[in-house]
C-alpha cells in the first residue's frame, strides 16, 4: 500500500524579532527574519514518524502558501526528511485571510493528491488555529485535530486530544486532516546529510492559475475580514522592583493589599 | 432589534463564565439568542435568561458527545438559518474556534478569532484583537456575510440583565460529515477544586525556578491563600512537574486575570503571549535581569523559596 501525506507549513516572522504591521495593515514580512513556524515542525515530525513506523510506501510532501522567502520554510522541512515540496506563490495572495488561505491550501492539496493532511495546531503569527478545521470542511473529510498523540494503521487515523474538560480518544478513516500540538513529540533537528540532501529535492512552484483560482478570490480583495487599525501597545509603565532582603514577601503582601487583592 | 446568536459552552447544563461574558457583549450589538447543545442543554435556560438571553434554542442528541466538532457546526448552522442573526459569538476555546470557523465557511462569512472586546460599528460589530504576543492592538471587522466572532475569556465583566427567555427546541439535521470523527473514549479531567485557569480573577504560576513537582506545593499554597488558579510555564510542564492543562502561553492557555503572579518564570515571548494582557502583573525571580521584570507592576528580586512562603503566610495572617 502507498500513502500520500501532505504537511502544511507556514513561513512566519520570527517571534523574538520586532514584529509589526506594514502600511496596508498586513504583516510586515520584509523587515523581520522569517522562519518555518515552530509549531509546524511538530507536524513534519509526526509525518516522518508515521512514515518510519510503517511498512507502507509513504511519500511526505510539504506545502506552503506564501511569498518567495517562504521557500526557506520548505527547505527546513525537506532537510528534516520530507520527500518533496510545493510552493504556492502569487503576488495576488498578499493579505489573504484565514478563509482564503484554506481555499488555496485545499485546492493545492487536491491537486497534489493526498490520503492524509497534517498541520500544526496554530501558526505563531496569526495564532488562529482554525486552518486545519477549515481544510477538513473544504475537503469534505474528517478533522482529527489538536492531537498530542497520533498513529495511522490500515487506513485509520487515531489520536489523543487533550481538551479543556476531558481527554478524548479519536478515530477516523482516511482521507483525513490532522493537526498536532507541541505535546506530540520533540521535532528532530536536520542532520548535515539531511541539509545536503534537501538541496536536491524537488520544489514545485504553483500560482493561482495552476489552482484554477482567480485573484478576486484571495488576497486583500477576496478577504472576508478587514483590519481597520493596528496600534502598538504602549509599553507598560515601569513597575516597582524591590530586592528581597528578608522582607520581600511582606512587601509584596503590602502591595497586594494596597491593590485590594487581599 | 437585531438578534445575535451566542453559542453556549456548558458542562451538563452548568454554563461556563465566558458564555455569560458573551451575553453581555452581545447586548451591545443586539438581542442575545443562546444556542445550547448536548446533555443538559435545557437546564441552561434559567441562567442564560438572567444574563439577557431573549430566546434559548436547545438540542440534545448523542452525536454531540460521540463525534468531534461537526455535529455542533450542523446545529449552529440550523440556528443561523432559523434566526438570521446580525452576528454569531462563540467562546474562544480550541473547540469553539473550530466550530466557528467551519460555520463561517458554510454560511459564506468571515471569521475573527480571539477578540478581546466588541462594540457596535456603522457596518456591524468591530472586534478588538490583541496580537503578536499582545504587543499590538488591532480593530477588525467581518466584511462579508454574518460576522462570526470568537471572544476570549475575561473580555467583559458579566452583567446580569434578567429576561424571560422563550425556550424552544432547535431542529437539526446532521450532515454526512457529522459522524466522520468518532470519539472512542473520554476521560473527564478531575477537578482540583481551584478556579478554572482561563476564568480565574487571580492566577499564580510557577516556572523552571520551582525546580521539581514536589515544590509546586508552595505555588499551590499561595494560590489557595488568594483563591487563585495555578498556572505553569512550558518549562515546568515539559519537565513533568505540572499538567499541560495548566500551561500558560502561546501553546497553553491564554489568561487575562486581574492579577498574575509569576514565580521562577523568565518571561519568554511565548509565555508572555499568554499572560501579557493581565491587569496587574507581579513576579518573583532571583535574576534581576529576567525579562519578566519589564512587564511587572511589582517585582521582587529574590529566591522564591524564601519569598513565596513568606508572602503566603502574610496573606493568611492578614485574612486572620
Ligand atoms: C495577527 C494576525 C491576526 C489575524 N487575524 C485574522 C482573523 O481574525 N481572521 C482571519 O480571517 N484572518 C486573520 N489573520 C490572517 C491569518 O492568520 C492568515 O490568513 C492565515 O494564513 C491563516 O491563519 P493562521 O496562519 O493564523 O492559521 P492557523 O489556523 O493558526 O494555522 C494552523 C496551521 O495551518 C497551516 N497554515 C496556515 N497558514 C498556512 C500557509 N499560508 N501555508 C501553509 N500552511 C498554512 C499550518 O500548518 C499552521 O500550523 C490574522 C493574521 C495575523 C498575522
Ligand atoms: C513554539 C513555542 C511555543 C511555546 N509555548 C510556550 C507556552 O505556551 N508557555 C510557556 O511558558 N513557554 C512556551 N514556550 C517556551 C518558552 O520559549 C520558554 O522556554 C519558557 O517559557 C521558559 O520557561 P521558564 O520561564 O519557566 O524557564 P526559564 O526561562 O528557564 O526561566 C526560569 C527562571 O526562573 C528563575 N529562577 C530559578 N530559580 C529560582 C529561584 N529559586 N527563585 C526565583 N527565581 C528562580 C531564573 O532566574 C529564570 O529567570 C514555547 C516555545 C516555543 C518555541
Amino acid at each position: 500500500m502507498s500513502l500520500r501525506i501532505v504537511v502544511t507549513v507556514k513561513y512566519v516572522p520570527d517571534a523574538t524579532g520586532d514584529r509589526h504591521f506594514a502600511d496596508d495593515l498586513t504583516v510586515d514580512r520584509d523587515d523581520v527574519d522569517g522562519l518555518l513556524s515552530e509549531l509546524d515542525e511538530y507536524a513534519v515530525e509526526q509525518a516522518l514518524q508515521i512514515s518510519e513506523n510503517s511498512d507502507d510506501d509513504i511519500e511526505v510532501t510539504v506545502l506552503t502558501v506564501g511569498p518567495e522567502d517562504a521557500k526557506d520554510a520548505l527547505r527546513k522541512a525537506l532537510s528534516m526528511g520530507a520527500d518533496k515540496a510545493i510552493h504556492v506563490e502569487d503576488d495576488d495572495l498578499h493579505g489573504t485571510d484565514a478563509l482564503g488561505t484554506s481555499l488555496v491550501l485545499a485546492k493545492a492539496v487536491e491537486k497534489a493528491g493526498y490520503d492524509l493532511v497534517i498541520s500544526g495546531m496554530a501558526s505563531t503569527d496569526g495564532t488562529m488555529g482554525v486552518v486545519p478545521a477549515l481544510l477538513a470542511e473544504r475537503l469534505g473529510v474528517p478533522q482529527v485535530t489538536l492531537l498530542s498523540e497520533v498513529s495511522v494503521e490500515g487506513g485509520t487515523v487515531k489520536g489523543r486530544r487533550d481538551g479543556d474538560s476531558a481527554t478524548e480518544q479519536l478515530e477516523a478513516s482516511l482521507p483525513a486532516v490532522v493537526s498536532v500540538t507541541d505535546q506530540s513529540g520533540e521535532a528532530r533537528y536536520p542532520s548535515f546529510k539531511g541539509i545536503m540532501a534537501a538541496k536536491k529535492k524537488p520544489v514545485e512552484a504553483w500560482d493561482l492559475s495552476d489552482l484554477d483560482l482567480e485573484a478576486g478570490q484571495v488576497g486583500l480583495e477576496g478577504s472576508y475580514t478587514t483590519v481597520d487599525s493596528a496600534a502598538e501597545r504602549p509599553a507598560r509603565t515601569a513597575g516597582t522592583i524591590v530586592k528581597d532582603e528578608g522582607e520581600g514577601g511582606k512587601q509584596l503582601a503590602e502591595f497586594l493589599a494596597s491593590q485590594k487583592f487581599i | 432589534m437585531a438578534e445575535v446568536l451566542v453559542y453556549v459552552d456548558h458542562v451538563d447544563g452548568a454554563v461556563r463564565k465566558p458564555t455569560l461574558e458573551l451575553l453581555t457583549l452581545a447586548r451591545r450589538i443586539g438581542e442575545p439568542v443562546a444556542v445550547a447543545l448536548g446533555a443538559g442543554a435545557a437546564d441552561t435556560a434559567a441562567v442564560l435568561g438572567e444574563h439577557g438571553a431573549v430566546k434559548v434554542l436547545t438540542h440534545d442528541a448523542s452525536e454531540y458527545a460521540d463525534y468531534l466538532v461537526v455535529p455542533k457546526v450542523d446545529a449552529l448552522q440550523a440556528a443561523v438559518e432559523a434566526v438570521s442573526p446580525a452576528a454569531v459569538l462563540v467562546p474562544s476555546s480550541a473547540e469553539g474556534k473550530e466550530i466557528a470557523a467551519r460555520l463561517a465557511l458554510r454560511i459564506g462569512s468571515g471569521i475573527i478569532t480571539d477578540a478581546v472586546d466588541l462594540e457596535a460599528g456603522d457596518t456591524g460589530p468591530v472586534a478588538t484583537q490583541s496580537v503578536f504576543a499582545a504587543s499590538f492592538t488591532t480593530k477588525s471587522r467581518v466584511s462579508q456575510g454574518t460576522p462570526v466572532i470568537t471572544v476570549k475569556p475575561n473580555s467583559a465583566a458579566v452583567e446580569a440583565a434578567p429576561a424571560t427567555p422563550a425556550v424552544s427546541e432547535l431542529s437539526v439535521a446532521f450532515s454526512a460529515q457529522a459522524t466522520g470523527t468518532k470519539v472512542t473514549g473520554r476521560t473527564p479531567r478531575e477537578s482540583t477544586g481551584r478556579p478554572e485557569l482561563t476564568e480565574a480573577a487571580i492566577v499564580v504560576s510557577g516556572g523552571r525556578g520551582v525546580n521539581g513537582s514536589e515544590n509546586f506545593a508552595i505555588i499551590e499554597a499561595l494560590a489557595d491563600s488568594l483563591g487563585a488558579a495555578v498556572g505553569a510555564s512550558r518549562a515546568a510542564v515539559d519537565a513533568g512537574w505540572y499538567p499541560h492543562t495548566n500551561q500558560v502561553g502561546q501553546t497553553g492557555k491564554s489568561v487575562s486575570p486581574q492579577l498574575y503572579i509569576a514565580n521562577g518564570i523568565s518571561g519568554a515571548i511565548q509565555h508572555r503571549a499568554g499572560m501579557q494582557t493581565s491587569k496587574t502583573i507581579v513576579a518573583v525571580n532571583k535574576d534581576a535581569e529576567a525579562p519578566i521584570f519589564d512587564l511587572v507592576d511589582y517585582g521582587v528580586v529574590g529566591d522564591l523559596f524564601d519569598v513565596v512562603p513568606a508572602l503566603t503566610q502574610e496573606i493568611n495572617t492578614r485574612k486572620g
Side-chain angles (χ1 to χ4, degrees):
Chain A
M1 213 181 104
S2 73
L3 195 70
R4 296 157 303 170
I5 303 179
V6 177
V7 184
T8 61
V9 299
K10 193 177 185 188
Y11 179 73
V12 297
D14 187 346
T16 59
D18 177 24
R19 293 181 294 179
H20 53 266
F21 289 87
D23 292 340
D24 65 354
L25 299 178
T26 62
V27 179
D28 191 332
R29 295 182 194 272
D30 296 332
D31 265 13
V32 191
D33 286 339
L35 42 75
L36 166 63
S37 175
E38 283 147 317
L39 295 172
D40 291 341
E41 291 181 14
Y42 296 90
V44 176
E45 177 63 36
Q46 288 310 311
L48 297 175
Q49 285 195 21
I50 289 167
S51 165
E52 288 159 3
N53 293 338
S54 167
D55 298 330
D56 296 342
D57 176 19
I58 296 186
E59 182 184 58
V60 177
T61 303
V62 287
L63 163 66
T64 197
V65 175
E68 201 196 331
D69 292 348
K71 275 194 185 58
D72 292 353
L74 295 175
R75 283 284 167 223
K76 170 92 187 264
L78 289 172
S79 64
M80 287 173 72
D83 300 305
K84 63 189 187 65
I86 299 168
H87 184 183
V88 182
E89 184 192 353
D90 199 306
D91 288 344
D92 290 322
L93 284 168
H94 176 77
T96 305
D97 66 1
L99 286 171
T101 302
S102 70
L103 173 64
V104 180
L105 286 172
K107 289 276 190 186
V109 163
E110 273 171 338
K111 184 175 159 92
Y114 74 101
D115 302 294
L116 182 61
V117 177
I118 306 185
S119 301
M121 62 185 287
S123 74
T124 57
D125 58 348
T127 69
M128 298 179 73
V130 300
V131 166
L134 288 169
L135 254 179
E137 176 75 33
R138 290 208 187 260
L139 295 169
V141 304
Q143 75 164 74
V144 198
T145 46
L146 297 170
L147 303 182
S148 43
E149 224 173 67
V150 58
S151 64
V152 177
E153 223 181 86
T156 302
V157 53
K158 293 185 185 179
R160 191 184 89 226
R161 173 168 164 127
D162 295 319
D164 277 349
S165 54
T167 287
E168 292 166 329
Q169 301 293 337
L170 304 178
E171 192 177 306
S173 307
L174 300 184
V177 174
V178 157
S179 75
V180 298
T181 74
D182 57 339
Q183 300 288 305
S184 60
E186 250 345 273
R188 69 194 64 189
Y189 287 106
S191 63
F192 178 70
K193 210 170 120 216
I195 294 169
M196 295 315 287
K199 297 194 168 139
K200 299 200 196 80
K201 290 179 180 171
V203 179
E204 274 190 67
W206 293 346
D207 63 14
L208 287 177
S209 65
D210 292 315
L211 300 177
D212 297 318
L213 290 170
E214 311 271 331
Q217 291 176 274
V218 296
L220 281 175
E221 196 190 335
S223 254
Y224 284 70
T225 49
T226 307
V227 182
D228 288 329
S229 69
E232 194 155 7
R233 195 184 160 92
R236 290 183 85 101
T237 45
T240 308
I241 295 183
V242 300
K243 197 168 170 341
D244 176 41
E245 278 156 352
E247 295 293 304
K250 273 212 168 105
Q251 287 168 291
L252 188 43
E254 197 54 51
F255 171 76
L256 295 180
S258 74
Q259 302 295 307
K260 309 235 179 322
F261 288 116
I262 319 178
Chain B
M1 199 157 143
E3 294 182 311
V4 176
L5 273 193
V6 171
Y7 177 80
V8 177
D9 185 9
H10 71 98
V11 181
D12 294 330
V15 178
R16 292 192 153 148
K17 187 165 147 259
T19 300
L20 305 180
E21 295 167 12
L22 288 195
L23 291 170
T24 301
L25 289 173
R27 292 202 307 276
R28 296 186 190 164
I29 47 182
E31 289 191 312
V33 174
V35 183
L37 306 173
D43 301 339
T44 60
V47 67
L48 297 171
E50 279 163 37
H51 293 85
V54 296
K55 285 184 199 159
V56 178
L57 306 175
T58 65
H59 189 245
D60 188 12
S62 57
E63 277 83 352
Y64 299 119
D66 295 347
Y67 302 95
L68 193 72
V69 172
V70 186
K72 294 170 181 166
V73 181
D74 291 341
L76 209 46
Q77 183 180 11
V80 168
E81 281 157 11
V83 169
S84 301
V88 182
L89 306 185
V90 181
S92 249
S93 59
E95 186 189 46
K97 291 202 274 190
E98 293 185 332
I99 295 170
R102 295 186 73 137
L103 174 75
L105 180 55
R106 284 196 192 173
I107 64 175
S109 298
I111 174 165
I112 290 174
T113 58
D114 296 323
V116 295
D117 199 6
L118 205 61
E119 63 210 334
D122 297 339
T123 59
V126 176
T128 304
Q129 285 169 296
S130 182
V131 306
F132 289 158
S135 59
F136 277 83
T137 303
T138 60
K139 299 229 183 226
S140 311
R141 282 175 294 124
V142 168
S143 43
Q144 290 191 54
T146 306
V148 178
I149 301 173
T150 78
V151 182
K152 280 198 182 188
N154 279 327
S155 295
V158 174
E159 289 161 17
T164 310
V167 183
S168 57
E169 192 162 334
L170 185 64
S171 125
V172 181
F174 291 116
S175 64
Q177 272 82 31
T179 53
T181 309
K182 277 200 217 80
V183 179
T184 55
R186 176 178 286 116
T187 318
R189 205 158 301 301
E190 269 178 45
S191 168
T192 59
R194 298 195 177 86
E196 283 268 332
L197 189 51
T198 51
E199 301 171 15
I202 303 180
V203 174
V204 176
S205 287
R208 201 193 303 272
V210 174
N211 200 24
S213 50
E214 65 287 357
N215 298 336
F216 256 88
I218 300 177
I219 305 298
E220 289 179 336
L222 173 57
D224 292 343
S225 74
L226 291 163
V230 177
S233 74
R234 177 159 149 192
V237 167
D238 283 354
W241 302 339
Y242 223 67
H244 174 62
T245 37
N246 296 70
Q247 183 181 313
V248 171
Q250 186 184 51
T251 55
K253 301 268 163 62
S254 142
V255 302
S256 199
Q258 296 299 319
L259 172 63
Y260 188 82
I261 308 184
N263 303 289
I265 293 177
S266 60
I269 183 84
Q270 296 88 357
H271 188 80
R272 291 159 70 148
M275 47 67 73
Q276 193 146 283
T277 53
S278 305
K279 310 293 175 295
T280 299
I281 298 175
V282 168
V284 178
N285 194 306
K286 66 181 183 189
D287 175 9
E289 306 295 318
I292 191 83
F293 285 125
D294 297 344
L295 297 182
V296 299
D297 297 283
Y298 200 91
V300 180
V301 180
D303 192 320
L304 71 89
F305 292 100
D306 299 328
V307 178
V308 173
L311 171 62
T312 308
Q313 196 185 7
E314 184 68 23
I315 293 168
N316 288 332
T317 311
R318 282 174 189 248
K319 284 198 311 195

